[in-house]
Amino acid sequence: MNQQINLYQPIFRKQKKIFSAYTMLQTCLFFIFVFAAITAYEMYHLKPMQEQLAKIDQDLAHLEAQLEKEKAKKQTDAKTRLLKNEIARLTRELEEREKIKRALRDDEIGNSKGFSPYLEALARQHVNGTWLTRIVINNGGAGLGLEGRTLSSDLVPVYIQRLSNEKVMTGASFNVMELQRPEKETAQIAFRVSSN
């Protein structure tokens, strides 16, 4: 038996190995070396930038701390300013109250007892035939003015004489005295007396 083998068939030809294990190992080592070199190069160049970034972060933290201090100081200054303004306002108010207290204590503004003693005196010394239509008491009783009507002009001096007997009217003098008969009413006479 004879058998022929064709060694030229593709199956029997010696095939070229393009990527052998050794070649692939060399290629992998080459790329690992290249990537390691690139990484080392980048890290070498990044190191100063990282140091600069750390310094910038440190400066930023320092500036933020200063900003917080300034904010606290500004708030304290604002509160201090508000307190000073409030103290000044309260001091002025206290001075004004002290002035009022002194004025009331020393009777600088006139009569601190009120006007009721004057009204009581006017009521007690009433003269029949006269009536008051207007009473003016100013400057704490230093200025006194009376307006009214009477049936007879002789009753006005009698009324004024009676008022001089009142303790509250001591020292009061009437400088102006006017009598006038209204045109329409002939039975009544209008009078006005005042201390100024």
Side-chain angles (χ1 to χ4, degrees):
M1 205 177 358
N2 254 347
Q3 183 177 10
Q4 286 186 344
I5 299 175
N6 185 1
L7 295 176
Y8 290 106
Q9 286 187 358
I11 197 165
F12 295 112
R13 279 190 235 148
K14 184 178 179 182
Q15 295 182 359
K16 276 185 175 178
K17 292 185 181 179
I18 299 174
F19 294 111
S20 68
Y22 181 72
T23 307
M24 288 177 66
L25 178 66
Q26 285 179 335
T27 306
C28 284
L29 288 175
F30 173 75
F31 282 115
I32 289 173
F33 176 74
V34 169
F35 288 138
I38 291 172
T39 303
Y41 179 78
E42 291 297 323
M43 288 179 78
Y44 176 76
H45 284 290
L46 277 177
K47 188 172 183 177
M49 291 180 192
Q50 287 174 339
E51 290 173 358
Q52 190 176 8
L53 180 63
K55 187 175 183 315
I56 288 172
D57 285 342
Q58 193 177 25
D59 290 347
L60 180 63
H62 180 69
L63 288 174
E64 285 176 348
Q66 279 185 333
L67 180 63
E68 289 301 320
K69 282 183 186 176
E70 289 299 319
K71 282 182 181 178
K73 184 179 176 185
K74 187 175 180 181
Q75 287 177 347
T76 304
D77 289 347
K79 287 178 183 176
T80 304
R81 199 173 323 115
L82 286 173
L83 285 174
K84 284 181 182 178
N85 290 343
E86 185 66 15
I87 289 170
R89 185 188 68 78
L90 290 173
T91 303
R92 284 192 305 271
E93 187 175 324
L94 183 63
E95 288 172 358
E96 299 226 353
R97 287 184 182 199
E98 286 294 323
K99 284 180 187 176
I100 292 169
K101 184 179 172 183
R102 273 195 308 273
L104 289 173
R105 184 184 63 229
D106 299 339
D107 288 333
E108 289 178 11
I109 58 170
N111 185 354
S112 62
K113 296 175 185 90
F115 301 115
S116 60
Y118 291 97
L119 299 176
E120 288 173 2
L122 291 171
R124 272 194 300 271
Q125 300 304 328
H126 176 69
V127 174
N128 287 332
T130 62
W131 60 95
L132 296 174
T133 57
R134 185 171 180 207
I135 302 168
V136 178
I137 303 171
N138 53 22
N139 295 332
L144 184 63
L146 304 172
E147 292 181 18
R149 303 275 174 142
T150 184
L151 297 175
S152 170
S153 61
D154 297 336
L155 296 176
V156 176
V158 172
Y159 187 45
I160 293 172
Q161 183 62 37
R162 282 188 177 180
L163 287 176
S164 66
N165 294 334
E166 288 289 330
K167 181 180 176 183
V168 75
M169 298 289 188
T170 304
S173 63
F174 293 104
N175 301 332
V176 178
M177 183 171 170
E178 293 178 5
L179 294 171
Q180 190 176 43
R181 187 174 299 274
E183 294 176 11
K184 294 182 181 178
E185 299 179 24
T186 55
Q188 297 178 3
I189 299 171
F191 70 90
R192 182 172 79 88
V193 292
S194 67
S195 60
N196 51 358

mmCIF file of all heavy atoms in Angstrom, residues 46-57:
data_model
loop_
_atom_site.group_PDB
_atom_site.id
_atom_site.type_symbol
_atom_site.label_atom_id
_atom_site.label_comp_id
_atom_site.label_asym_id
_atom_site.label_seq_id
_atom_site.Cartn_x
_atom_site.Cartn_y
_atom_site.Cartn_z
ATOM 1 N N LEU A 46 3.337 67.420 37.988
ATOM 2 C CA LEU A 46 2.190 67.744 38.830
ATOM 3 C C LEU A 46 2.583 68.065 40.273
ATOM 4 O O LEU A 46 1.841 68.757 40.964
ATOM 5 C CB LEU A 46 1.187 66.578 38.841
ATOM 6 C CG LEU A 46 0.226 66.508 37.684
ATOM 7 C CD1 LEU A 46 -0.646 65.269 37.794
ATOM 8 C CD2 LEU A 46 -0.655 67.742 37.625
ATOM 9 N N LYS A 47 3.730 67.577 40.710
ATOM 10 C CA LYS A 47 4.129 67.768 42.097
ATOM 11 C C LYS A 47 4.200 69.245 42.476
ATOM 12 O O LYS A 47 3.635 69.643 43.494
ATOM 13 C CB LYS A 47 5.454 67.069 42.372
ATOM 14 C CG LYS A 47 5.818 67.065 43.830
ATOM 15 C CD LYS A 47 7.021 66.222 44.101
ATOM 16 C CE LYS A 47 7.276 66.222 45.593
ATOM 17 N NZ LYS A 47 8.364 65.398 45.987
ATOM 18 N N PRO A 48 4.839 70.125 41.701
ATOM 19 C CA PRO A 48 4.833 71.552 42.065
ATOM 20 C C PRO A 48 3.418 72.142 42.068
ATOM 21 O O PRO A 48 3.068 72.963 42.913
ATOM 22 C CB PRO A 48 5.693 72.221 40.992
ATOM 23 C CG PRO A 48 6.470 71.148 40.345
ATOM 24 C CD PRO A 48 5.690 69.886 40.534
ATOM 25 N N MET A 49 2.577 71.672 41.141
ATOM 26 C CA MET A 49 1.204 72.170 41.102
ATOM 27 C C MET A 49 0.418 71.706 42.317
ATOM 28 O O MET A 49 -0.396 72.460 42.860
ATOM 29 C CB MET A 49 0.518 71.715 39.809
ATOM 30 C CG MET A 49 1.051 72.372 38.567
ATOM 31 S SD MET A 49 0.173 71.782 37.118
ATOM 32 C CE MET A 49 1.205 72.414 35.826
ATOM 33 N N GLN A 50 0.670 70.481 42.748
ATOM 34 C CA GLN A 50 -0.002 69.984 43.944
ATOM 35 C C GLN A 50 0.450 70.766 45.180
ATOM 36 O O GLN A 50 -0.351 71.086 46.056
ATOM 37 C CB GLN A 50 0.253 68.479 44.120
ATOM 38 C CG GLN A 50 -0.504 67.628 43.128
ATOM 39 C CD GLN A 50 -0.132 66.151 43.232
ATOM 40 O OE1 GLN A 50 0.927 65.805 43.744
ATOM 41 N NE2 GLN A 50 -1.013 65.292 42.721
ATOM 42 N N GLU A 51 1.752 71.048 45.227
ATOM 43 C CA GLU A 51 2.257 71.860 46.341
ATOM 44 C C GLU A 51 1.642 73.249 46.311
ATOM 45 O O GLU A 51 1.249 73.801 47.341
ATOM 46 C CB GLU A 51 3.785 71.941 46.274
ATOM 47 C CG GLU A 51 4.480 70.641 46.601
ATOM 48 C CD GLU A 51 5.978 70.700 46.351
ATOM 49 O OE1 GLU A 51 6.469 71.754 45.883
ATOM 50 O OE2 GLU A 51 6.653 69.691 46.607
ATOM 51 N N GLN A 52 1.539 73.820 45.110
ATOM 52 C CA GLN A 52 0.920 75.142 44.961
ATOM 53 C C GLN A 52 -0.555 75.090 45.362
ATOM 54 O O GLN A 52 -1.064 76.005 46.022
ATOM 55 C CB GLN A 52 1.088 75.616 43.515
ATOM 56 C CG GLN A 52 0.690 77.062 43.305
ATOM 57 C CD GLN A 52 0.961 77.502 41.874
ATOM 58 O OE1 GLN A 52 1.303 76.701 41.006
ATOM 59 N NE2 GLN A 52 0.801 78.793 41.637
ATOM 60 N N LEU A 53 -1.255 74.012 44.977
ATOM 61 C CA LEU A 53 -2.657 73.854 45.339
ATOM 62 C C LEU A 53 -2.824 73.738 46.853
ATOM 63 O O LEU A 53 -3.728 74.344 47.444
ATOM 64 C CB LEU A 53 -3.246 72.619 44.642
ATOM 65 C CG LEU A 53 -4.709 72.328 44.926
ATOM 66 C CD1 LEU A 53 -5.585 73.460 44.435
ATOM 67 C CD2 LEU A 53 -5.124 71.008 44.293
ATOM 68 N N ALA A 54 -1.907 72.994 47.491
ATOM 69 C CA ALA A 54 -1.962 72.873 48.954
ATOM 70 C C ALA A 54 -1.740 74.230 49.606
ATOM 71 O O ALA A 54 -2.416 74.596 50.577
ATOM 72 C CB ALA A 54 -0.916 71.861 49.431
ATOM 73 N N LYS A 55 -0.786 75.005 49.060
ATOM 74 C CA LYS A 55 -0.529 76.349 49.601
ATOM 75 C C LYS A 55 -1.745 77.251 49.390
ATOM 76 O O LYS A 55 -2.143 78.016 50.276
ATOM 77 C CB LYS A 55 0.710 76.947 48.926
ATOM 78 C CG LYS A 55 1.142 78.265 49.539
ATOM 79 C CD LYS A 55 2.416 78.744 48.918
ATOM 80 C CE LYS A 55 2.941 79.995 49.532
ATOM 81 N NZ LYS A 55 2.046 81.060 49.782
ATOM 82 N N ILE A 56 -2.377 77.153 48.224
ATOM 83 C CA ILE A 56 -3.580 77.964 47.943
ATOM 84 C C ILE A 56 -4.707 77.571 48.894
ATOM 85 O O ILE A 56 -5.417 78.438 49.422
ATOM 86 C CB ILE A 56 -3.999 77.804 46.464
ATOM 87 C CG1 ILE A 56 -2.999 78.526 45.565
ATOM 88 C CG2 ILE A 56 -5.403 78.336 46.237
ATOM 89 C CD1 ILE A 56 -3.201 78.288 44.088
ATOM 90 N N ASP A 57 -4.864 76.265 49.138
ATOM 91 C CA ASP A 57 -5.889 75.813 50.091
ATOM 92 C C ASP A 57 -5.614 76.367 51.491
ATOM 93 O O ASP A 57 -6.530 76.788 52.195
ATOM 94 C CB ASP A 57 -5.952 74.283 50.135
ATOM 95 C CG ASP A 57 -6.628 73.689 48.905
ATOM 96 O OD1 ASP A 57 -7.343 74.440 48.203
ATOM 97 O OD2 ASP A 57 -6.436 72.483 48.643
#
